[in-house]
């Protein structure tokens, strides 16, 4: 039997604007949740997913920045990730977000970051990420801090997008 993906929270929603709580205990329940997050991310054709996006305000995220059907998946599960260094050199990528369907924006972020995190086996890691991987990590860590890509764009464009998502949420609620 195939596991059903978790429900993705669509903006605006208060959980998406709230800083997530750190994880104090890594156990089988958390590992199962991380696996469910990966299932959800892949089913949604995303490259990253943070726990607040599925309604859980905890500092965990999953990513798989490999974007080719020819390459094997390279999933990562990060617990309590923290950016410890950012390069001064900027990079711009067109970003989308599973919590903001069909919305894309060019976002400028540091081109490289160093990220410290714990994996599901309770082993600490530190990685230096560059390019697309750096962008994905920063985007997902933003979610853990209550920040959306909408917070990186102009107020006019943000207000227009929020109106669109409020209407989308209402339309979805009316269907259900």
């Amino acid at each position: 039997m195939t596991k059903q993906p978790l429900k993705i929270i669509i903006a605006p929603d208060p959980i998406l604007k709230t800083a997530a709580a750190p994880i104090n205990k890594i156990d089988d329940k958390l590992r199962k949740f991380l696996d469910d997050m990966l299932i959800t991310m892949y089913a949604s054709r995303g490259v990253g997913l943070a726990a607040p996006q599925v309604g859980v305000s905890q500092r965990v995220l999953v990513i798989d920045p490999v974007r080719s059907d020819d390459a094997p998946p390279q999933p990562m599960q990060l617990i309590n990730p923290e950016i410890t260094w950012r390069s001064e050199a900027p990079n711009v990528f067109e970003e989308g977000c599973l919590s903001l369907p069909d919305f894309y924006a060019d976002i400028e972020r540091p081109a490289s970051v160093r990220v410290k995190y714990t994996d599901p086996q309770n082993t600490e890691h530190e990685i230096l990420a560059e390019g697309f991987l750096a962008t994905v990590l920063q985007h997902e860590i933003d979610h853990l801090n209550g920040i959306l890509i909408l917070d990186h764009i102009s107020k006019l464009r943000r207000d227009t997008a929020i109106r669109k998502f409020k209407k989308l949420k209402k339309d979805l609620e009316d269907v259900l």
Side-chain angles (χ1 to χ4, degrees):
M1 182 172 160
T2 305
K3 173 76 171 121
Q4 287 293 105
L6 302 167
K7 181 179 181 255
I8 294 178
I9 304 296
I10 304 298
D13 189 287
I15 197 165
L16 296 174
K17 298 301 294 171
T18 305
I23 296 293
N24 297 316
K25 178 181 173 189
I26 298 173
D27 57 15
D28 287 341
K29 182 179 176 184
L30 178 63
R31 285 186 274 276
K32 181 186 179 317
F33 175 63
L34 286 164
D35 289 343
D36 291 347
M37 286 180 61
L38 279 173
I39 290 166
T40 303
M41 180 189 75
Y42 288 128
S44 303
R45 308 215 17 94
V47 295
L49 184 68
Q53 292 180 273
V54 292
V56 178
S57 189
Q58 292 187 318
R59 295 191 74 78
V60 297
L61 62 88
V62 296
I63 63 169
D64 188 344
V66 174
R67 302 174 84 182
S68 167
D69 292 334
D70 300 333
Q74 296 180 16
M76 293 177 66
Q77 299 174 326
L78 291 78
I79 300 165
N80 296 327
E82 176 187 348
I83 296 172
T84 59
W85 173 83
R86 292 172 175 83
S87 68
E88 290 186 26
N91 208 353
V92 176
F93 275 101
E94 181 183 64
E95 296 184 32
C97 181
L98 296 176
S99 292
L100 303 167
D102 299 322
F103 179 83
Y104 300 92
D106 287 337
I107 307 295
E108 182 177 296
R109 300 180 184 273
S112 304
V113 292
R114 188 174 303 281
V115 176
K116 179 175 75 169
Y117 69 96
T118 304
D119 71 18
Q121 288 68 49
N122 207 18
T123 302
E124 290 188 13
H125 299 269
E126 188 170 67
I127 59 170
L128 176 62
E130 298 177 331
F132 185 65
L133 176 59
T135 295
V136 172
L137 284 166
Q138 290 172 86
H139 177 111
E140 299 308 329
I141 291 171
D142 269 1
H143 276 298
L144 301 181
N145 295 322
I147 299 168
L148 298 172
I149 58 174
L150 295 175
D151 298 314
H152 292 280
I153 62 175
S154 72
K155 180 175 178 1
L156 176 63
R157 187 151 185 232
R158 179 175 47 247
D159 291 347
T160 302
I162 289 171
R163 279 194 300 278
K164 172 188 162 188
F165 292 117
K166 283 181 178 177
K167 182 180 180 332
L168 174 65
K169 281 182 78 161
K170 184 181 180 324
D171 291 348
L172 287 173
E173 290 167 1
D174 289 346
V175 170
L176 302 175

